[in-house]
Amino acid sequence: MGEKLICNNKKAFHDYFIEERYEAGMVLQGTEVKSLRGGKANLNDSFAIVKNGEAYLHNLHISPYDFGNRQNHDPDRMRKLLLHKKEILKLFSKIREQGYTLIPLRIYFKEGKVKAELGLAKGKKNYDKRETLKQNDMKRDVQVALKERGRQNRDRD
């Protein structure tokens, strides 16, 4: 049984340099899991913090479950992340350093459990973002050229 992607944070790779990745479990309510099975989550502007020796995820929006009752969950509540104590201490010391933050990169199901992939990230400046876009454009141009060259060689044979 593999992984089933729920949502992805593409903006994180544009705005940050991702230096390390961590996998964390999440403490959720039943209606949140049902809503996630329907793919109703949004990672935009979400981030993680370490407070009192525990990690929490802020601004993760999980839409209310359509068939839920009055005990449905609050869509924007703070959710606890499940990490090992050593990982939390390491992340806490890194986050205190200048410019580091903890960003969720994606949320997915792994063996029936909801997991969040966190990235220890450092912010990009505007010129870094432009440089990354240039490099991606050049890579795409090279791929197109190689593909075209392969077609020409095939047609010649």
Side-chain angles (χ1 to χ4, degrees):
M1 195 169 167
E3 295 178 357
K4 181 188 173 215
L5 185 66
I6 298 168
C7 63
N8 215 348
N9 191 355
K10 294 177 186 173
K11 190 177 177 186
F13 295 98
H14 181 261
D15 293 340
Y16 299 97
F17 292 112
I18 308 300
E19 297 190 3
E20 292 180 39
R21 294 174 186 231
Y22 296 91
E23 182 181 70
M26 294 174 63
V27 177
L28 299 171
Q29 297 175 353
T31 55
E32 289 177 318
V33 176
K34 289 181 178 187
S35 192
L36 287 174
R37 290 208 185 277
K40 297 188 176 182
N42 186 356
L43 280 174
N44 291 347
D45 300 326
S46 58
F47 61 96
I49 62 164
V50 176
K51 186 165 89 175
N52 298 331
E54 295 179 338
Y56 295 96
L57 194 56
H58 283 273
N59 292 347
L60 168 63
H61 181 84
I62 299 176
S63 298
Y65 182 55
D66 293 334
F67 303 106
N69 54 18
R70 67 175 180 240
Q71 295 171 341
N72 224 341
H73 65 276
D74 176 22
D76 294 318
R77 74 182 186 90
M78 191 168 56
R79 291 163 181 90
K80 186 175 176 181
L81 295 171
L82 304 172
L83 289 161
H84 291 282
K85 197 68 165 178
K86 287 181 182 177
E87 289 178 324
I88 292 174
L89 292 173
K90 183 179 176 185
L91 288 172
F92 182 67
S93 66
K94 285 281 193 176
I95 290 172
R96 281 196 327 220
E97 289 181 25
Q98 184 68 28
Y100 281 104
T101 187
L102 199 54
I103 303 291
L105 302 176
R106 62 190 181 117
I107 295 180
Y108 56 96
F109 284 104
K110 183 177 180 182
E111 298 175 6
K113 310 257 189 306
V114 178
K115 302 286 184 177
E117 184 178 33
L118 303 172
L120 188 63
K122 195 165 197 151
K124 285 185 182 179
K125 305 282 188 222
N126 280 337
Y127 57 85
D128 290 330
K129 292 177 188 179
R130 286 193 294 271
E131 186 64 31
T132 303
L133 288 174
K134 271 191 227 172
Q135 288 175 356
N136 289 342
D137 286 344
M138 288 191 311
K139 285 179 188 175
R140 192 176 321 113
D141 291 343
V142 167
Q143 290 297 327
V144 168
L146 288 174
K147 195 173 189 180
E148 195 63 36
R149 191 175 186 189
R151 284 186 189 149
Q152 288 175 355
N153 287 342
R154 213 173 342 153
D155 291 343
R156 214 178 321 147
D157 292 338

